[in-house]
Amino acid sequence: MKHLFALFVVALVSLAIVGRHARAEGQTIVVASTTSTEDSGLFRYLLPIVQEKTGIQVKVVAQGTGQALDTGRRGDADVVFVHARAAEDKFVAEGFGLKRYPVMYNDFVLIGPKDDPAGIKGRDVVAALETIKDRGAAFISRGDWSGTHLAELRLWKEAGVELSGLRAAWYKEIGQGMGAALNNASSSNAYVLSDRGTWLAFKNRGDLTILVESDKRLFNQYGLILVNPAKYPSVNKEAGQRFIDWLTSPDGQKAIAEFKIGGQQLFYPNANDPNA
């Protein structure tokens, strides 16, 4: 009898361990996100808070927005956290995501050498890009179809600069993330478009400084999308949606607002803005 009771206890303990492992596994999600949220340090600050408040462990795949959305299209992520509104809307319209949630914003800044060889300081961003092109000043482009790269392409278009098939010594596409683009610009004394969050966290500035900012065309909105579980049954719908719900809740929005570097706020929560 004692032997049977001992076996029964062992069985219960084993089931409890299995159940605990299953629950722990169920609380893990993969978020495909932009390099700016990673390079700025936002995730290093935010994800321990998410885990403490929700029990969800988040594994981040940091990529350009285009690549992050492609990761979602393959069903290799539960949530995408990106910043290219037109691409996000297309992702949802094609059935790869359920709904887009605005979460926060910051802005882009045009960075360049302190001596400003093209003379763009004080100009609006379109005039600045026209001047960079006209004077053949060195410009580094991420060239990786990220949200920042897409914003850069939009701004060049507004400046009337045709980049398709461009072969010019002054314009260099590197096909890498924001940190690499800033490092490249620093080492070559070139101009570069950056999100403000990554710039504030960037240490290897050399002679670079912000030359153009506060233009309304530099606004940078971020969105969250749950990958469609009807298309990909492996998507952790419950935990993924809970992650989104917490980030867009008053507590999550407060946590985002409190992330600062050197006393400067990097991201501004706006989940309640219906037009964001």
Side-chain angles (χ1 to χ4, degrees), residues 44 71 81 83 96 115 125 132 152 213 215:
R44 287 190 297 277
T71 297
F81 190 159
H83 63 141
F96 292 104
D115 61 359
V125 67
I132 288 171
E152 180 214 316
E213 60 183 330
D215 186 315

Side-chain angles (χ1 to χ4, degrees), residues 58-126:
V58 180
K59 297 180 179 178
V60 175
V61 180
Q63 305 168 300
T65 283
Q67 293 173 309
L69 290 170
D70 284 343
T71 297
R73 285 188 178 93
R74 295 192 300 270
D76 292 333
D78 302 292
V79 174
V80 293
F81 190 159
V82 290
H83 63 141
R85 179 63 188 269
E88 295 164 38
D89 289 343
K90 185 172 185 285
F91 182 83
V92 173
E94 291 173 342
F96 292 104
L98 291 186
K99 178 183 176 182
R100 175 191 174 276
Y101 297 80
V103 61
M104 64 188 191
Y105 71 91
N106 63 2
D107 62 345
F108 296 109
V109 287
L110 191 52
I111 307 292
K114 290 175 182 175
D115 61 359
D116 189 17
I120 67 168
K121 187 172 177 62
R123 298 173 185 258
D124 67 62
V125 67
V126 167

